[in-house]
PDB file of all heavy atoms in Angstrom:
ATOM      1  N   PRO T 272       7.572   9.131  16.153  1.00 88.00           N
ATOM      2  CA  PRO T 272       6.183   9.564  16.023  1.00 88.00           C
ATOM      3  C   PRO T 272       5.553   9.224  14.674  1.00 88.00           C
ATOM      4  O   PRO T 272       4.320   9.270  14.562  1.00 88.00           O
ATOM      5  CB  PRO T 272       6.202  11.051  16.296  1.00 88.00           C
ATOM      6  CG  PRO T 272       7.659  11.457  16.052  1.00 88.00           C
ATOM      7  CD  PRO T 272       8.482  10.252  16.353  1.00 88.00           C
ATOM      8  N   ALA T 273       6.403   8.992  13.610  1.00 88.00           N
ATOM      9  CA  ALA T 273       5.791   8.657  12.344  1.00 88.00           C
ATOM     10  C   ALA T 273       5.336   7.155  12.372  1.00 88.00           C
ATOM     11  O   ALA T 273       4.670   6.713  11.430  1.00 88.00           O
ATOM     12  CB  ALA T 273       6.797   8.838  11.218  1.00 88.00           C
ATOM     13  N   HIS T 274       5.696   6.417  13.384  1.00 87.00           N
ATOM     14  CA  HIS T 274       5.341   5.026  13.447  1.00 87.00           C
ATOM     15  C   HIS T 274       4.592   4.754  14.782  1.00 87.00           C
ATOM     16  O   HIS T 274       3.558   5.374  15.007  1.00 87.00           O
ATOM     17  CB  HIS T 274       6.637   4.204  13.347  1.00 87.00           C
ATOM     18  CG  HIS T 274       6.512   2.712  13.107  1.00 87.00           C
ATOM     19  ND1 HIS T 274       5.338   2.098  12.822  1.00 87.00           N
ATOM     20  CD2 HIS T 274       7.464   1.703  13.110  1.00 87.00           C
ATOM     21  CE1 HIS T 274       5.504   0.793  12.695  1.00 87.00           C
ATOM     22  NE2 HIS T 274       6.786   0.528  12.881  1.00 87.00           N
ATOM     23  N   GLY T 275       5.103   3.934  15.655  1.00 86.00           N
ATOM     24  CA  GLY T 275       4.345   3.559  16.849  1.00 86.00           C
ATOM     25  C   GLY T 275       4.204   4.682  17.843  1.00 86.00           C
ATOM     26  O   GLY T 275       3.280   4.662  18.721  1.00 86.00           O
ATOM     27  N   ALA T 277       3.056   7.353  17.283  1.00 86.00           N
ATOM     28  CA  ALA T 277       1.977   8.228  16.921  1.00 86.00           C
ATOM     29  C   ALA T 277       0.838   8.200  17.948  1.00 86.00           C
ATOM     30  O   ALA T 277       0.128   9.198  18.163  1.00 86.00           O
ATOM     31  CB  ALA T 277       1.423   7.820  15.564  1.00 86.00           C
ATOM     32  N   ALA T 301      -2.462  21.709   9.704  1.00 94.00           N
ATOM     33  CA  ALA T 301      -2.156  20.449   9.094  1.00 94.00           C
ATOM     34  C   ALA T 301      -2.077  20.494   7.583  1.00 94.00           C
ATOM     35  O   ALA T 301      -1.325  19.864   6.894  1.00 94.00           O
ATOM     36  CB  ALA T 301      -3.155  19.371   9.531  1.00 94.00           C
ATOM     37  N   LYS T 304       1.435  23.771   3.962  1.00 93.00           N
ATOM     38  CA  LYS T 304       2.695  23.158   3.536  1.00 93.00           C
ATOM     39  C   LYS T 304       3.875  23.701   4.300  1.00 93.00           C
ATOM     40  O   LYS T 304       4.925  23.023   4.446  1.00 93.00           O
ATOM     41  CB  LYS T 304       2.939  23.398   2.028  1.00 93.00           C
ATOM     42  CG  LYS T 304       2.363  22.333   1.117  1.00 93.00           C
ATOM     43  CD  LYS T 304       3.244  22.106  -0.083  1.00 93.00           C
ATOM     44  CE  LYS T 304       3.122  20.721  -0.679  1.00 93.00           C
ATOM     45  NZ  LYS T 304       3.278  19.612   0.224  1.00 93.00           N
ATOM     46  N   ARG T 309       1.327  17.991  11.612  1.00 93.00           N
ATOM     47  CA  ARG T 309       0.532  16.979  10.920  1.00 93.00           C
ATOM     48  C   ARG T 309      -0.537  16.484  11.859  1.00 93.00           C
ATOM     49  O   ARG T 309      -0.344  16.449  13.075  1.00 93.00           O
ATOM     50  CB  ARG T 309       1.390  15.785  10.522  1.00 93.00           C
ATOM     51  CG  ARG T 309       2.207  16.049   9.315  1.00 93.00           C
ATOM     52  CD  ARG T 309       2.881  14.800   8.748  1.00 93.00           C
ATOM     53  NE  ARG T 309       3.420  15.132   7.470  1.00 93.00           N
ATOM     54  CZ  ARG T 309       3.764  14.212   6.566  1.00 93.00           C
ATOM     55  NH1 ARG T 309       3.687  12.971   6.886  1.00 93.00           N
ATOM     56  NH2 ARG T 309       4.231  14.603   5.385  1.00 93.00           N
ATOM     57  N   LEU T 310      -1.640  16.098  11.322  1.00 93.00           N
ATOM     58  CA  LEU T 310      -2.695  15.536  12.151  1.00 93.00           C
ATOM     59  C   LEU T 310      -2.292  14.127  12.547  1.00 93.00           C
ATOM     60  O   LEU T 310      -2.289  13.220  11.702  1.00 93.00           O
ATOM     61  CB  LEU T 310      -3.976  15.513  11.343  1.00 93.00           C
ATOM     62  CG  LEU T 310      -5.284  15.604  12.091  1.00 93.00           C
ATOM     63  CD1 LEU T 310      -5.300  16.816  13.023  1.00 93.00           C
ATOM     64  CD2 LEU T 310      -6.453  15.685  11.099  1.00 93.00           C
ATOM     65  N   MET T 311      -1.826  13.948  13.779  1.00 91.00           N
ATOM     66  CA  MET T 311      -1.306  12.661  14.230  1.00 91.00           C
ATOM     67  C   MET T 311      -2.501  11.648  14.255  1.00 91.00           C
ATOM     68  O   MET T 311      -3.593  11.965  14.609  1.00 91.00           O
ATOM     69  CB  MET T 311      -0.625  12.750  15.593  1.00 91.00           C
ATOM     70  CG  MET T 311       0.533  13.718  15.571  1.00 91.00           C
ATOM     71  SD  MET T 311       1.661  13.546  14.171  1.00 91.00           S
ATOM     72  CE  MET T 311       2.506  12.047  14.594  1.00 91.00           C
ATOM     73  N   GLY T 312      -2.148  10.373  13.872  1.00 90.00           N
ATOM     74  CA  GLY T 312      -3.188   9.378  13.814  1.00 90.00           C
ATOM     75  C   GLY T 312      -3.918   9.382  12.506  1.00 90.00           C
ATOM     76  O   GLY T 312      -4.878   8.634  12.316  1.00 90.00           O
ATOM     77  N   PHE T 313      -3.443  10.219  11.589  1.00 91.00           N
ATOM     78  CA  PHE T 313      -4.070  10.244  10.255  1.00 91.00           C
ATOM     79  C   PHE T 313      -2.988   9.925   9.209  1.00 91.00           C
ATOM     80  O   PHE T 313      -1.886  10.389   9.325  1.00 91.00           O
ATOM     81  CB  PHE T 313      -4.642  11.672   9.986  1.00 91.00           C
ATOM     82  CG  PHE T 313      -6.129  11.701  10.253  1.00 91.00           C
ATOM     83  CD1 PHE T 313      -6.569  11.796  11.535  1.00 91.00           C
ATOM     84  CD2 PHE T 313      -7.025  11.669   9.223  1.00 91.00           C
ATOM     85  CE1 PHE T 313      -7.932  11.803  11.826  1.00 91.00           C
ATOM     86  CE2 PHE T 313      -8.393  11.687   9.432  1.00 91.00           C
ATOM     87  CZ  PHE T 313      -8.855  11.791  10.769  1.00 91.00           C
ATOM     88  N   GLY T 314      -3.421   9.204   8.169  1.00 91.00           N
ATOM     89  CA  GLY T 314      -2.507   8.910   7.082  1.00 91.00           C
ATOM     90  C   GLY T 314      -1.749   7.609   7.345  1.00 91.00           C
ATOM     91  O   GLY T 314      -1.554   7.196   8.493  1.00 91.00           O
ATOM     92  N   HIS T 315      -1.430   7.008   6.243  1.00 90.00           N
ATOM     93  CA  HIS T 315      -0.627   5.767   6.345  1.00 90.00           C
ATOM     94  C   HIS T 315       0.031   5.495   5.014  1.00 90.00           C
ATOM     95  O   HIS T 315      -0.506   5.846   3.978  1.00 90.00           O
ATOM     96  CB  HIS T 315      -1.598   4.562   6.639  1.00 90.00           C
ATOM     97  CG  HIS T 315      -0.901   3.400   7.158  1.00 90.00           C
ATOM     98  ND1 HIS T 315      -0.318   2.454   6.306  1.00 90.00           N
ATOM     99  CD2 HIS T 315      -0.645   2.977   8.393  1.00 90.00           C
ATOM    100  CE1 HIS T 315       0.239   1.525   7.061  1.00 90.00           C
ATOM    101  NE2 HIS T 315       0.096   1.804   8.289  1.00 90.00           N
ATOM    102  N   ARG T 316       1.285   4.968   5.072  1.00 87.00           N
ATOM    103  CA  ARG T 316       1.991   4.700   3.827  1.00 87.00           C
ATOM    104  C   ARG T 316       1.221   3.715   2.980  1.00 87.00           C
ATOM    105  O   ARG T 316       1.190   3.856   1.736  1.00 87.00           O
ATOM    106  CB  ARG T 316       3.392   4.162   4.183  1.00 87.00           C
ATOM    107  CG  ARG T 316       4.139   3.491   3.044  1.00 87.00           C
ATOM    108  CD  ARG T 316       4.429   4.493   1.859  1.00 87.00           C
ATOM    109  NE  ARG T 316       5.239   5.620   2.248  1.00 87.00           N
ATOM    110  CZ  ARG T 316       6.548   5.604   2.477  1.00 87.00           C
ATOM    111  NH1 ARG T 316       7.221   4.482   2.263  1.00 87.00           N
ATOM    112  NH2 ARG T 316       7.201   6.668   2.843  1.00 87.00           N
ATOM    113  N   LYS T 319      -4.794   3.639   1.877  1.00 89.00           N
ATOM    114  CA  LYS T 319      -5.318   4.834   1.289  1.00 89.00           C
ATOM    115  C   LYS T 319      -6.881   4.700   1.466  1.00 89.00           C
ATOM    116  O   LYS T 319      -7.629   5.093   0.587  1.00 89.00           O
ATOM    117  CB  LYS T 319      -4.907   4.963  -0.158  1.00 89.00           C
ATOM    118  CG  LYS T 319      -3.432   5.000  -0.324  1.00 89.00           C
ATOM    119  CD  LYS T 319      -2.714   6.214   0.425  1.00 89.00           C
ATOM    120  CE  LYS T 319      -1.257   6.071   0.455  1.00 89.00           C
ATOM    121  NZ  LYS T 319      -0.590   6.891   1.549  1.00 89.00           N
ATOM    122  N   TYR T 362      -8.765  18.489   1.502  1.00 95.00           N
ATOM    123  CA  TYR T 362      -7.354  18.131   1.614  1.00 95.00           C
ATOM    124  C   TYR T 362      -7.164  16.713   1.944  1.00 95.00           C
ATOM    125  O   TYR T 362      -6.465  15.944   1.326  1.00 95.00           O
ATOM    126  CB  TYR T 362      -6.688  19.104   2.631  1.00 95.00           C
ATOM    127  CG  TYR T 362      -5.243  18.743   2.920  1.00 95.00           C
ATOM    128  CD1 TYR T 362      -4.184  19.355   2.272  1.00 95.00           C
ATOM    129  CD2 TYR T 362      -4.924  17.805   3.951  1.00 95.00           C
ATOM    130  CE1 TYR T 362      -2.845  19.101   2.553  1.00 95.00           C
ATOM    131  CE2 TYR T 362      -3.647  17.554   4.254  1.00 95.00           C
ATOM    132  CZ  TYR T 362      -2.585  18.183   3.558  1.00 95.00           C
ATOM    133  OH  TYR T 362      -1.296  17.889   3.887  1.00 95.00           O
ATOM    134  N   PHE T 363      -7.854  16.297   3.049  1.00 92.00           N
ATOM    135  CA  PHE T 363      -7.685  14.924   3.531  1.00 92.00           C
ATOM    136  C   PHE T 363      -8.284  13.911   2.557  1.00 92.00           C
ATOM    137  O   PHE T 363      -7.770  12.796   2.360  1.00 92.00           O
ATOM    138  CB  PHE T 363      -8.243  14.765   4.925  1.00 92.00           C
ATOM    139  CG  PHE T 363      -7.441  15.548   5.944  1.00 92.00           C
ATOM    140  CD1 PHE T 363      -7.740  16.891   6.197  1.00 92.00           C
ATOM    141  CD2 PHE T 363      -6.411  14.912   6.635  1.00 92.00           C
ATOM    142  CE1 PHE T 363      -6.974  17.603   7.118  1.00 92.00           C
ATOM    143  CE2 PHE T 363      -5.609  15.649   7.547  1.00 92.00           C
ATOM    144  CZ  PHE T 363      -5.913  16.976   7.790  1.00 92.00           C
ATOM    145  N   LYS T 366      -6.018  13.520  -0.536  1.00 93.00           N
ATOM    146  CA  LYS T 366      -4.749  12.827  -0.246  1.00 93.00           C
ATOM    147  C   LYS T 366      -5.051  11.445   0.344  1.00 93.00           C
ATOM    148  O   LYS T 366      -4.108  10.704   0.722  1.00 93.00           O
ATOM    149  CB  LYS T 366      -3.880  13.643   0.666  1.00 93.00           C
ATOM    150  CG  LYS T 366      -3.398  14.941   0.111  1.00 93.00           C
ATOM    151  CD  LYS T 366      -2.327  15.593   0.952  1.00 93.00           C
ATOM    152  CE  LYS T 366      -1.910  16.913   0.462  1.00 93.00           C
ATOM    153  NZ  LYS T 366      -1.366  16.986  -0.908  1.00 93.00           N
ATOM    154  N   LEU T 368      -6.225  10.538   3.257  1.00 93.00           N
ATOM    155  CA  LEU T 368      -5.747  10.427   4.660  1.00 93.00           C
ATOM    156  C   LEU T 368      -6.874  10.049   5.543  1.00 93.00           C
ATOM    157  O   LEU T 368      -7.814  10.844   5.770  1.00 93.00           O
ATOM    158  CB  LEU T 368      -5.116  11.768   5.068  1.00 93.00           C
ATOM    159  CG  LEU T 368      -3.979  12.303   4.213  1.00 93.00           C
ATOM    160  CD1 LEU T 368      -3.600  13.762   4.561  1.00 93.00           C
ATOM    161  CD2 LEU T 368      -2.720  11.405   4.416  1.00 93.00           C
ATOM    162  N   ASN T 371      -5.725   6.185  11.282  1.00 88.00           N
ATOM    163  CA  ASN T 371      -5.010   4.899  11.371  1.00 88.00           C
ATOM    164  C   ASN T 371      -5.207   4.333  12.808  1.00 88.00           C
ATOM    165  O   ASN T 371      -5.897   4.866  13.587  1.00 88.00           O
ATOM    166  CB  ASN T 371      -3.496   5.063  11.007  1.00 88.00           C
ATOM    167  CG  ASN T 371      -2.782   6.079  11.895  1.00 88.00           C
ATOM    168  OD1 ASN T 371      -2.963   6.027  13.098  1.00 88.00           O
ATOM    169  ND2 ASN T 371      -2.091   7.017  11.271  1.00 88.00           N
ATOM    170  N   VAL T 372      -4.535   3.185  12.994  1.00 87.00           N
ATOM    171  CA  VAL T 372      -4.778   2.409  14.239  1.00 87.00           C
ATOM    172  C   VAL T 372      -4.467   3.251  15.509  1.00 87.00           C
ATOM    173  O   VAL T 372      -5.110   3.063  16.538  1.00 87.00           O
ATOM    174  CB  VAL T 372      -3.903   1.141  14.253  1.00 87.00           C
ATOM    175  CG1 VAL T 372      -2.431   1.443  14.357  1.00 87.00           C
ATOM    176  CG2 VAL T 372      -4.329   0.166  15.337  1.00 87.00           C
ATOM    177  N   ASP T 373      -3.576   4.248  15.334  1.00 87.00           N
ATOM    178  CA  ASP T 373      -3.188   4.983  16.522  1.00 87.00           C
ATOM    179  C   ASP T 373      -4.144   6.076  16.941  1.00 87.00           C
ATOM    180  O   ASP T 373      -4.097   6.629  18.026  1.00 87.00           O
ATOM    181  CB  ASP T 373      -1.834   5.688  16.209  1.00 87.00           C
ATOM    182  CG  ASP T 373      -0.718   4.657  16.113  1.00 87.00           C
ATOM    183  OD1 ASP T 373      -0.665   3.781  16.965  1.00 87.00           O
ATOM    184  OD2 ASP T 373       0.095   4.737  15.187  1.00 87.00           O
ATOM    185  N   PHE T 394       2.132  -0.809  22.328  1.00 96.00           N
ATOM    186  CA  PHE T 394       2.220  -1.152  20.875  1.00 96.00           C
ATOM    187  C   PHE T 394       3.368  -2.168  20.719  1.00 96.00           C
ATOM    188  O   PHE T 394       3.193  -3.235  20.005  1.00 96.00           O
ATOM    189  CB  PHE T 394       2.497   0.131  20.103  1.00 96.00           C
ATOM    190  CG  PHE T 394       2.380   0.005  18.601  1.00 96.00           C
ATOM    191  CD1 PHE T 394       2.064   1.169  17.851  1.00 96.00           C
ATOM    192  CD2 PHE T 394       2.615  -1.137  17.884  1.00 96.00           C
ATOM    193  CE1 PHE T 394       1.953   1.141  16.461  1.00 96.00           C
ATOM    194  CE2 PHE T 394       2.516  -1.213  16.513  1.00 96.00           C
ATOM    195  CZ  PHE T 394       2.177  -0.078  15.806  1.00 96.00           C
TER     196      PHE T 394
HETATM  197  N1  ACO A 501      -1.605  15.432   8.327  1.00 78.23           N
HETATM  198  C1  ACO A 501      -1.546  16.296   7.313  1.00 78.23           C
HETATM  199  N2  ACO A 501      -1.003  16.007   6.144  1.00 78.23           N
HETATM  200  C2  ACO A 501      -0.536  14.760   5.932  1.00 78.23           C
HETATM  201  C3  ACO A 501      -0.615  13.794   6.965  1.00 78.23           C
HETATM  202  C4  ACO A 501      -1.154  14.139   8.180  1.00 78.23           C
HETATM  203  N3  ACO A 501      -1.257  13.278   9.209  1.00 78.23           N
HETATM  204  N4  ACO A 501      -0.102  12.590   6.495  1.00 78.23           N
HETATM  205  C5  ACO A 501       0.292  12.838   5.265  1.00 78.23           C
HETATM  206  N5  ACO A 501       0.016  14.127   4.869  1.00 78.23           N
HETATM  207  C6  ACO A 501       0.261  14.743   3.557  1.00 78.23           C
HETATM  208  C7  ACO A 501       1.706  15.017   3.358  1.00 78.23           C
HETATM  209  O1  ACO A 501       2.047  16.364   3.754  1.00 78.23           O
HETATM  210  C8  ACO A 501       1.888  14.828   1.872  1.00 78.23           C
HETATM  211  O2  ACO A 501       1.370  15.972   1.258  1.00 78.23           O
HETATM  212  P1  ACO A 501       2.017  16.417  -0.194  1.00 78.23           P
HETATM  213  O3  ACO A 501       1.698  15.306  -1.169  1.00 78.23           O
HETATM  214  O4  ACO A 501       1.327  17.705  -0.508  1.00 78.23           O
HETATM  215  O5  ACO A 501       3.496  16.627   0.014  1.00 78.23           O
HETATM  216  C9  ACO A 501       0.900  13.664   1.591  1.00 78.23           C
HETATM  217  O6  ACO A 501      -0.078  13.733   2.606  1.00 78.23           O
HETATM  218  C10 ACO A 501       1.566  12.308   1.591  1.00 78.23           C
HETATM  219  O7  ACO A 501       2.288  12.160   2.827  1.00 78.23           O
HETATM  220  P2  ACO A 501       3.694  11.451   2.970  1.00 78.23           P
HETATM  221  O8  ACO A 501       4.352  11.894   4.210  1.00 78.23           O
HETATM  222  O9  ACO A 501       4.474  11.581   1.670  1.00 78.23           O
HETATM  223  O10 ACO A 501       3.176   9.944   3.060  1.00 78.23           O
HETATM  224  P3  ACO A 501       4.004   8.784   3.714  1.00 78.23           P
HETATM  225  O11 ACO A 501       3.432   7.509   3.192  1.00 78.23           O
HETATM  226  O12 ACO A 501       5.482   8.963   3.542  1.00 78.23           O
HETATM  227  O13 ACO A 501       3.717   8.956   5.319  1.00 78.23           O
HETATM  228  C11 ACO A 501       2.794   8.713   7.448  1.00 78.23           C
HETATM  229  C12 ACO A 501       2.807   8.216   5.988  1.00 78.23           C
HETATM  230  C13 ACO A 501       4.266   8.844   7.973  1.00 78.23           C
HETATM  231  C14 ACO A 501       2.053   7.751   8.323  1.00 78.23           C
HETATM  232  C15 ACO A 501       2.096  10.148   7.427  1.00 78.23           C
HETATM  233  O14 ACO A 501       0.789   9.998   6.984  1.00 78.23           O
HETATM  234  C16 ACO A 501       2.122  10.802   8.837  1.00 78.23           C
HETATM  235  O15 ACO A 501       3.117  11.451   9.205  1.00 78.23           O
HETATM  236  N6  ACO A 501       0.989  10.627   9.658  1.00 78.23           N
HETATM  237  C17 ACO A 501       0.955  11.157  10.985  1.00 78.23           C
HETATM  238  C18 ACO A 501       1.706  10.211  11.920  1.00 78.23           C
HETATM  239  C19 ACO A 501       0.988   8.904  12.186  1.00 78.23           C
HETATM  240  O16 ACO A 501      -0.225   8.919  12.476  1.00 78.23           O
HETATM  241  N7  ACO A 501       1.714   7.829  12.115  1.00 78.23           N
HETATM  242  C20 ACO A 501       1.217   6.471  12.395  1.00 78.23           C
HETATM  243  C21 ACO A 501       1.179   5.620  11.222  1.00 78.23           C
HETATM  244  S1  ACO A 501       0.412   4.113  11.476  1.00 78.23           S
HETATM  245  C22 ACO A 501       1.567   3.250  12.351  1.00 78.23           C
HETATM  246  O17 ACO A 501       2.765   3.337  12.229  1.00 78.23           O
HETATM  247  C23 ACO A 501       1.027   2.274  13.251  1.00 78.23           C
END
Side-chain angles (χ1 to χ4, degrees):
H274 191 10
K304 270 217 155 306
R309 283 188 167 197
L310 208 54
M311 299 315 286
F313 263 76
H315 197 276
R316 167 61 61 77
K319 301 302 168 199
Y362 172 93
F363 291 88
K366 295 192 185 301
L368 300 169
N371 58 48
V372 68
D373 293 314
F394 191 154

